[in-house]
Amino acid sequence: MPAPEWGPFTTVKVLLRAWTAAAAAATARGPTCLRGSEENAMVADVVMRSLVDCILSRRPWPGRWTDLAADVWRQASLFWEVAATAVAGLAQMLDIDAHVGGSGGGGGGPPGVVAALAGGALPFLEWLLRHTVSEVVNVPKVGHAAVAERLLRDLEQLLQRAGPEIAKAPKVGHAAVAERLLRDLTRDGEALGPARTLMSLLAYGDGLQAAAFVALVTKHLRRALRLGARTFRGIALRLATSVLDAAVNPAVFNGAGVPAQRAETLGLVLSVAVGEWLPMLSSLLQQNVVMFAALASLHIQVGWSSCFRKVMDSAACAGVLSSSCSDDGWRRDAITQAGLVPLVGAAMQVLRVLERRPSRGEDERFVADSAARLACTAPDEVLRAHGDFAWRPEAVRVLAQTSESFGPRAGPIILCLLAAHLEAGSPAFESTLPQLQPSTKPASLLQTLSPLLVPPAEARRRLGLPPACASPACVNLAGESEVVLKRQKCGGCGRVEYCCKECQWEDWKAGHKAACGGP
């Protein structure tokens, strides 16, 4: 009897079953006689390559092929330990958007995104990110390095306690696999780079799942801050800056393609991202400047300028640097919470380090524009700033001179007036500053959604995400998702909530003891 002739769709379904069986055996979930064999892992690798080739050959996808691609996502998330080839294939399937164009999948998004979301891509990404922290690297908790001496002491203790191999913070076991898979999924592709990939998933995915992923990135950023991250290559930093890049750069992600019914939900998700990430990124940037000032033999990383741009562009697109934000309480407070004034002061110090670099002129112009916008939005805060990153009159005058070289604008006038007030020690501006001309660039996604942005706590409430832990040092990665992480109110005042006893104790020692009105 001749063998049946299978069509392409049936062939792919059989290949998926074959890959699932081989992956189950390779991960010790199959029959006892087959568990953990290297041969099964090799079979899974070969089958997945054929599977992905078959799916990609059917583009643009008919409806049931999208459903089949979603099944591939589901199975890959179940057997993620041997999913290296599978993840590479999943990323290729996301690249399929380039071949169907725009929102080929209708209101639900492009076919590749629809399949990924239906297959549980967002919970899978959150799970991977939750497991990228190696349990072997038990690094002691350190505070924000306010001065160089303390920073150096903390780094020295870290190296002494961790040992030579752990000091490099290598990921081992599941943490290594999880981080590699997460990096592969958000890799730079020909059609979709990490920025557009992530924003597509957040834009068309379930709002609660998207917010949970964003909240988890916040915890990883906080962890990087506590550990004194010396580079901008960490996975959390890459994820956060990629999302912000898509939000502020219309060339990366065109917000016009997002359907109106998704705009409000995406606005809430971005409210959590902007409200929680900007303070973390700003602190990381400032800490990095302190670190490089202390370790004089090192140079400011190239990634510093790129990250600084994304923070300031995000603040501008969110309306935080608009002159009208004085009438909007949370946007006005966001300038202080995100530490934008000391951040620009830190950028002025970085310019001195970049003095001999060819790109310094471009960096200087961006810092000058940022300083002028801040001076118009929060002039009193700029004048009253103090500390290592207070704005120096001579540095502001240099920015004004640089800004003049780019043509007649209001920026140089604002900076010259600012420098004069700083030299005189004036606590406030005596006259009204000239208005900056609005940008003529195409509106970004974040600018389009700016009227829908709300404080992050309110955004969490509307999306159904539990409130953020009251401990500002919380890096709790327990549980399967931020969605199910339980909160417990303070037994004394009942006004704040914590995710665990450790966070409650840390916050009690950090100052809640004095603020708590309970017995």
Side-chain angles (χ1 to χ4, degrees):
M1 180 177 178
E5 294 185 4
W6 291 339
F9 188 78
T10 303
T11 300
V12 173
K13 291 186 69 175
V14 171
L15 285 172
L16 180 57
R17 289 190 179 186
W19 182 85
T20 301
T27 55
R29 300 177 199 173
T32 305
C33 61
L34 298 175
R35 288 182 181 176
S37 68
E38 294 183 5
E39 290 79 3
N40 283 306
M42 294 175 61
V43 169
D45 182 82
V46 173
V47 171
M48 179 53 69
R49 294 180 190 276
S50 300
L51 175 62
V52 170
D53 287 343
C54 288
I55 292 180
L56 292 178
S57 69
R58 303 303 297 178
R59 59 192 179 208
W61 291 341
R64 63 176 185 168
W65 283 86
T66 302
D67 297 335
L68 188 57
D71 288 336
V72 177
W73 273 93
R74 294 187 187 97
Q75 295 304 314
S77 63
L78 288 176
F79 302 105
W80 63 276
E81 300 98 319
V82 291
T85 305
V87 169
L90 294 174
Q92 282 182 280
M93 289 192 294
L94 280 173
D95 280 353
I96 202 172
D97 301 327
H99 302 279
V100 301
S103 312
V113 175
V114 171
L117 294 170
L122 277 175
F124 182 36
L125 290 177
E126 185 192 354
W127 192 92
L128 286 175
L129 184 58
R130 190 171 292 277
H131 288 77
T132 56
V133 179
S134 172
E135 295 179 358
V136 175
V137 186
N138 184 20
V139 183
K141 299 176 181 178
V142 295
H144 183 185
V147 293
E149 292 79 3
R150 180 177 177 183
L151 172 63
L152 288 171
R153 185 176 65 251
D154 288 341
L155 288 175
E156 182 180 3
Q157 291 177 355
L158 172 62
L159 294 173
Q160 289 175 346
R161 296 186 187 185
E165 69 283 355
I166 296 182
K168 297 179 182 179
K171 300 294 191 301
V172 296
H174 283 185
V177 178
E179 179 160 338
R180 189 181 74 241
L181 297 185
L182 193 60
R183 287 183 181 276
D184 286 344
L185 274 175
T186 56
R187 81 198 195 293
D188 291 308
E190 294 179 1
L192 283 178
R196 190 178 163 204
T197 301
L198 288 168
M199 185 56 77
S200 297
L201 294 174
L202 297 180
Y204 295 102
D206 177 76
L208 179 57
Q209 293 178 348
F213 180 77
V214 167
L216 185 58
V217 172
T218 301
K219 289 187 176 181
H220 275 269
L221 291 175
R222 186 178 293 121
R223 183 175 183 273
L225 179 62
R226 287 173 52 179
L227 298 182
R230 285 174 284 178
T231 69
F232 294 90
R233 299 175 183 174
I235 187 66
L237 284 164
R238 184 184 181 197
L239 292 172
T241 54
S242 293
V243 171
L244 294 179
D245 189 26
V248 303
N249 189 348
V252 175
F253 189 89
N254 183 6
V258 178
Q261 62 268 29
R262 297 291 310 164
E264 183 176 359
T265 300
L266 182 56
L268 294 175
V269 173
L270 290 179
S271 294
V272 180
V274 172
E276 295 185 358
W277 291 355
L278 293 195
M280 294 291 104
L281 292 172
S282 177
S283 296
L284 276 166
L285 288 165
Q286 293 176 52
Q287 175 177 278
N288 208 250
V289 174
V290 173
M291 182 179 299
F292 284 103
L295 307 176
S297 60
L298 301 177
H299 298 287
I300 293 291
Q301 297 284 331
V302 175
W304 197 100
S305 297
S306 175
C307 187
F308 171 75
R309 284 175 174 268
K310 290 182 176 66
V311 170
M312 298 306 299
D313 281 340
S314 298
C317 292
V320 173
L321 299 183
S322 170
S323 57
S324 61
C325 86
S326 58
D327 300 325
D328 194 337
W330 80 267
R331 282 184 169 86
R332 183 180 62 250
D333 295 340
I335 295 177
T336 303
Q337 293 170 0
L340 298 184
V341 172
L343 176 59
V344 172
M348 295 180 192
Q349 294 190 18
V350 172
L351 288 176
R352 293 201 297 270
V353 178
L354 301 177
E355 186 173 1
R356 297 182 180 179
R357 296 192 181 182
S359 62
R360 183 176 184 268
E362 182 181 347
D363 291 329
E364 202 164 27
R365 178 178 180 178
F366 184 82
V367 175
D369 288 343
S370 301
R373 290 187 180 279
L374 264 180
C376 290
T377 307
D380 294 344
E381 186 171 345
V382 170
L383 292 175
R384 297 169 186 170
H386 59 279
D388 293 338
F389 298 137
W391 296 16
R392 310 300 178 192
E394 59 276 11
V396 175
R397 289 194 186 280
V398 170
L399 289 180
Q401 294 171 1
T402 302
S403 187
E404 286 178 347
S405 64
F406 293 103
R409 298 184 303 159
I413 300 175
I414 295 173
L415 294 176
C416 286
L417 289 172
L418 175 60
H421 279 73
L422 288 171
E423 286 180 337
S426 304
F429 278 98
E430 300 173 355
S431 59
T432 303
L433 291 172
Q435 293 297 312
L436 289 169
Q437 295 180 348
S439 174
T440 57
K441 297 180 181 178
S444 66
L445 173 66
L446 193 55
Q447 281 177 300
T448 303
L449 299 179
S450 179
L452 302 177
L453 300 183
V454 298
E458 175 64 14
R460 280 175 172 258
R461 186 190 67 79
R462 294 187 191 179
L463 290 167
L465 186 68
C469 177
S471 172
C474 175
V475 291
N476 180 16
L477 302 179
E480 293 298 316
S481 171
E482 293 297 302
V483 175
V484 297
L485 199 58
K486 295 182 179 179
R487 301 288 189 268
Q488 183 175 355
K489 289 186 177 182
C490 172
C493 64
R495 295 190 300 267
V496 294
E497 299 181 6
Y498 300 96
C499 64
C500 60
K501 292 182 178 179
E502 290 76 10
C503 282
Q504 184 173 8
W505 177 239
E506 287 291 333
D507 195 41
W508 182 262
K509 294 187 296 181
H512 185 61
K513 179 179 180 180
C516 183

